Amino acid sequence: MVIKEELEQIVDKQFSESSYGYRPNKSAHDAVQSCDKNCQQYDWVIDLDIKSFFDEIDHDLMMQALGYFTDKRYIHLYVRRWLECPVQEPDGSHQKRDKGTPQGGVISPLLANIFLHVVFDKWMEFYYPEIKFERYADDIVIHCKDFKPALRLLEAIKERFRKCKLRIKSGKSNIVYCKRSQKYHPPFKVEYVSFDFLGFTFRPRTVKGWLGRYHLGFTPAISRNSAKRMVKELYKKKIHRMVHLGLTDIASILEAKIRGWIHYYGKFRLSEMRYLFRSVNRRLVKWVINKYRRFRRKPKRFAYKWLRDFAKHYPNTFVHWQYKFLP
């Protein structure tokens, strides 16, 4: 941590403005907001996904990238030791490493930023200074005006990564069309019209303009994969079986979790979280049926009505009820 903080003071001020991951005073929301703004100005996006990035970083190239920022011998000494530190297997044996950063190490995100700053950010700014992009660690989105330049740029990036011993995931790095209310559209059928970035899905959606008129925009909202992951996380808590507790107790258990979800994913189109909160309400209906015997042999709508009436009288019990996601 001491080396990390000292190194961060040296390198952070030299990082690109388009780099947002694991940096002070920058967040994932800043990256998504910048991506949203650029998607309104550019028609095409290159969605890049690097394969096993943290496990594939070449140690010699990493040390060369570090030398771009500092020549302090003790920093190079410790970083080299951390990179080459062997991995202990479950049987007690040790496996040497010649690539990859330490799993869970506090300095790993900073080393990743240093490596990609030299490999990608500076390369882009030197050869393609007019191109806008956002990078959050190894998650990269690049904006282009036309399809053919985007195709050529993608091939150039693949070649650049190949030289730096990185690989792009096949099938997960695509050229996406940002379909909006443009006057002209491509004369061919577009294969990809949406992409995911930091847990949000960018795709065509109806948006309200300045004068109250609706038009087609290309905007972010919580991705379906993120919502499904949170539904699974909710199911593991088995709140429908906590019949020994009251609703206020269950609300206390879920409060921090739901508030965190809304704080992150509700930043852009909060209404798109209704799929997630319908699942929360369904869990609560199951709790009602398990809690009160009188609902067990009745249709489920009676339990829904009971929960709806409770929410109407006590709308602040659950955090998502406060945002009008009522049962």
Side-chain angles (χ1 to χ4, degrees), residues 310-322:
F310 185 94
K312 198 175 293 183
H313 289 91
Y314 306 98
N316 295 326
T317 305
F318 287 88
V319 176
H320 64 288
W321 288 1
Q322 300 170 19

Side-chain angles (χ1 to χ4, degrees), residues 12 22 39-40 78 99 108 138 148 157 162 188 197 199 217 226 229 257:
D12 189 74
Y22 309 109
C39 282
Q40 311 311 316
Y78 281 112
K99 60 181 181 179
S108 291
D138 59 332
K148 287 185 178 179
I157 293 172
R162 187 188 65 79
F188 54 89
F197 183 50
S226 298
R229 176 178 52 80
K257 188 71 68 178

Side-chain angles (χ1 to χ4, degrees), residues 36 39-40 201-207 217-221 268-269:
D36 183 21
C39 282
Q40 311 311 316
T201 295
F202 285 76
R203 66 174 179 83
R205 291 185 173 88
T206 302
V207 296
F218 196 84
T219 58
F268 304 94
R269 291 185 75 100

Side-chain angles (χ1 to χ4, degrees), residues 27-29 31-33 35 47-49 136 138-141 194-203 205 219-230 260-269 272-273 275-276:
S27 67
H29 284 161
V32 175
Q33 195 165 10
C35 187
D47 179 26
L48 283 183
D49 197 350
Y136 194 95
D138 59 332
D139 207 349
I140 306 171
V141 174
S194 68
F195 68 92
D196 287 359
F197 183 50
L198 301 179
F200 294 89
T201 295
F202 285 76
R203 66 174 179 83
R205 291 185 173 88
T219 58
I222 181 175
S223 70
R224 183 52 63 98
N225 288 336
S226 298
K228 286 181 178 179
R229 176 178 52 80
M230 288 183 282
W261 290 342
I262 292 176
H263 176 73
Y264 183 77
Y265 293 102
K267 180 77 172 180
F268 304 94
R269 291 185 75 100
E272 295 290 332
M273 298 187 72
Y275 166 79
L276 169 63

Side-chain angles (χ1 to χ4, degrees), residues 80 84 93-94 102 119 210-211 220 246 254 267 289 308 326:
R80 173 68 77 173
E84 296 179 349
S93 61
H94 292 79
V119 170
W210 289 100
L211 300 176
L254 297 180
K267 180 77 172 180
I289 294 172
R308 198 175 298 116
L326 299 172

